[in-house]
Amino acid sequence: MAATTDPDREPFSLGDFVKKYAIVFILIGFVVLLAFLTGGSFLQTRNLLNVIVQVAPIGIIAFGMTFIIITNGIDLSVGSTVALSAVIACSLAQIVTPTSMYPNMPALPIILPVLVGILVGAATGFVNGFLVSFFKIAPFIATLGMMTAARGLALIYTDGRPISGLAPGYNAIGQGSILGIPVPVILLVLCAILAHILLNYTRFGRHTYAIGGNEQAAHVSGINIARVRLWIFTFTGALAGLAGIILSARIGSGNPQLGNMMELDVITATVIGGTSFNGGVGTIWGTIVGALIIGVINNGMDLLNVSPFWQLVVKGAIIVVAIIIDERKNR
């Protein structure tokens, strides 16, 4: 019997396959290269797990940044939001002593500082979204202002000093594990699933792509663009708040300088993961791979004793190259 073919099915193309999964091949290439340069120490199980733990806060925020960049936006304030959320959450998670920020406050269940930290992040994102959506301020300008203001509020709140003496239950969010899996990794996976569902299986996600693809057409079709943008920035702020909790719990301290320049890693992860600055294009799985590439590069340069100053140069170069590739692809 002669084999039948589906006329609607496109023939397999190696070029298209490589193009579609190029970001995965790039990740594999970096892993192989660093394994060779570090004499195999990079591939040790403990180190690979450490890479994922380190990249978890970046990846979590990058999920929200994916929504923002898909709609032709940007959020420069995520690093400062991390700091503000972290110091407020840590002040409520301190073991109560005469030297605590709130010495007369009874010990709180750990869930309360966590919720407050996430809400603080959501509030900063809400303000960003409100300025962008209803005052028509460019996202770059609105979030640049919030970047400065949120960092200043974190410094004012702590008087410029770290908050230490945190409850063990709070520190477990960044240092603990469940069934051998680090808690930050579990939170990364849960946030990835949530973001993927929102972006691909809800009206909210369809509206996000529509706004980025053609804002005028989205408006004509009845999409409330201002409301969608407001919720996107709020969602991203909440994720930044969660990332701040993870980072502060991991180091056991709420530092007002936490998250400094973190927006660079977040934007880099999002862009090299395939989210286009031209809007309308982006996936959560791509952002995950992009975040892993950032984690691999950061960890590899640390193992190779590359100067932190040169690490910034490398990250900046990666952003430029990713944008050039994106522009050429869109042409």
Side-chain angles (χ1 to χ4, degrees):
M1 181 182 292
T4 59
T5 59
D6 185 354
D8 295 327
R9 185 177 180 180
E10 294 183 2
F12 174 79
S13 169
L14 180 60
D16 290 341
F17 178 81
V18 172
K19 183 178 179 181
K20 183 177 180 180
Y21 296 104
I23 189 69
V24 177
F25 294 126
I26 291 172
L27 174 61
I28 295 172
F30 273 122
V31 170
V32 172
L33 176 63
L34 288 172
F36 173 76
L37 293 176
T38 61
S41 60
F42 177 81
L43 290 179
Q44 292 180 2
T45 302
R46 183 174 181 179
N47 184 63
L48 292 176
L49 196 58
N50 187 48
V51 169
I52 303 176
V53 171
Q54 288 179 338
V55 87
I58 295 171
I60 287 172
I61 304 175
F63 298 148
M65 190 68 74
T66 301
F67 283 77
I68 292 177
I69 295 181
I70 285 175
T71 58
N72 280 306
I74 195 73
D75 190 346
L76 301 177
S77 68
V78 290
S80 298
T81 300
V82 163
L84 182 60
S85 301
V87 296
I88 293 178
C90 288
S91 69
L92 300 176
Q94 276 187 304
I95 298 173
V96 179
T97 66
T99 59
S100 302
M101 287 192 70
Y102 301 108
N104 298 320
M105 182 180 67
L108 299 174
I110 295 304
I111 188 63
L112 288 181
V114 171
L115 289 177
V116 169
I118 294 173
L119 288 174
V120 169
T124 61
F126 181 88
V127 173
N128 284 332
F130 191 82
L131 293 173
V132 170
S133 301
F134 296 101
F135 283 91
K136 306 301 179 184
I137 299 176
F140 181 90
I141 302 300
T143 59
L144 181 63
M146 179 58 75
M147 179 178 72
T148 305
R151 183 72 64 183
L153 288 173
L155 290 166
I156 291 170
Y157 187 78
T158 62
D159 199 22
R161 294 191 294 266
I163 300 173
S164 56
L166 307 182
Y170 184 89
N171 288 336
I173 298 172
Q175 303 171 18
S177 61
I178 299 175
L179 299 177
I181 304 174
V183 174
V185 176
I186 294 173
L187 293 174
L188 174 68
V189 172
L190 292 176
C191 288
I193 293 172
L194 172 62
H196 178 76
I197 292 173
L198 284 175
L199 191 57
N200 292 280
Y201 299 104
T202 68
R203 181 184 298 177
F204 178 67
R206 291 193 295 272
H207 288 178
T208 297
Y209 280 118
I211 293 170
N214 189 321
E215 185 171 331
Q216 185 176 359
H219 176 72
V220 171
S221 65
I223 296 175
N224 190 329
I225 296 174
R227 184 172 62 188
V228 173
R229 280 208 169 105
L230 179 65
W231 282 112
I232 286 175
F233 276 97
T234 302
F235 176 60
T236 304
L239 292 178
L242 176 60
I245 291 166
I246 294 172
L247 280 172
S248 59
R250 190 165 179 231
I251 64 176
S253 171
N255 194 317
Q257 296 294 346
L258 202 65
N260 190 31
M261 297 295 290
M262 192 175 181
E263 55 276 351
L264 180 64
D265 281 344
V266 170
I267 294 171
T268 304
T270 307
V271 174
I272 66 176
T275 303
S276 173
F277 269 122
N278 291 287
V281 177
T283 62
I284 297 301
W285 83 265
T287 297
I288 293 173
V289 178
L292 288 174
I293 289 176
I294 293 299
V296 166
I297 291 173
N298 287 342
N299 182 266
M301 288 193 292
D302 286 339
L303 290 176
L304 295 171
N305 295 317
V306 176
S307 165
F309 308 134
W310 277 107
Q311 291 188 28
L312 290 175
V313 174
V314 171
K315 292 174 188 177
I318 290 173
I319 291 179
V320 173
V321 171
I323 293 174
I324 291 173
I325 293 173
D326 179 57
E327 289 295 330
R328 290 176 63 87
K329 188 166 57 177
N330 278 284
R331 282 199 204 112

